[in-house]
Amino acid sequence: GSLVQGVRKKQDPSTPKRNPSAFLLFSQRRRRQIMMEFPTLSNVDISRMMGKEWGNQSPEEKKPFMEKEELLRAMYKEQMKQWRDSLASPSPGEPTPVP
């Protein structure tokens, strides 16, 4: 028989979006440059090239992307805290549950 796989609970659309990784921040900047230099490369080849470049970067070269990731992660964590707090507190006009 056939099994249903990959069924996930739908995510609340008001949930804050997770921060991008340092590699993703690097990729967003570098992808355009690679596409201009090598217009015939496929997305798979561009991604492979970016992965190799990222792996060959020194810690000093990765530092600006790592720092931005840390900043965005802190903002995401704060947004998630506020979002969770908003779910826990009753909406205006709703009765407060009695313990």
Side-chain angles (χ1 to χ4, degrees):
S2 65
L3 296 174
V4 177
Q5 292 182 346
V7 176
R8 291 177 52 178
K9 182 178 163 188
K10 291 205 181 206
Q11 185 173 349
D12 182 341
S14 68
T15 307
K17 194 170 178 184
R18 189 170 172 87
N19 64 289
S21 67
F23 172 70
L24 191 57
L25 294 169
F26 166 79
S27 298
Q28 289 171 342
R29 178 183 290 175
R30 188 66 179 118
R31 181 175 293 276
R32 283 188 217 102
Q33 295 167 341
I34 292 174
M35 288 173 69
M36 289 173 66
E37 290 175 41
F38 305 99
T40 59
L41 281 183
S42 69
N43 276 330
V44 172
D45 290 333
I46 291 171
S47 296
R48 197 172 288 136
M49 185 181 280
M50 287 187 306
K52 286 180 184 176
E53 283 185 24
W54 179 253
N56 291 330
Q57 298 269 318
S58 71
E60 197 60 36
E61 290 171 312
K62 289 181 181 181
K63 188 176 180 179
F65 302 103
M66 303 294 277
E67 288 173 349
K68 187 166 185 179
E69 177 190 8
E70 287 176 24
L71 174 70
L72 294 173
R73 184 182 313 128
M75 291 170 54
Y76 167 74
K77 285 182 177 182
E78 181 58 33
Q79 290 171 348
M80 281 300 289
K81 181 184 179 312
Q82 291 174 4
W83 180 75
R84 284 190 185 107
D85 290 348
S86 74
L87 293 179
S89 62
S91 298
E94 283 187 27
T96 306
V98 179

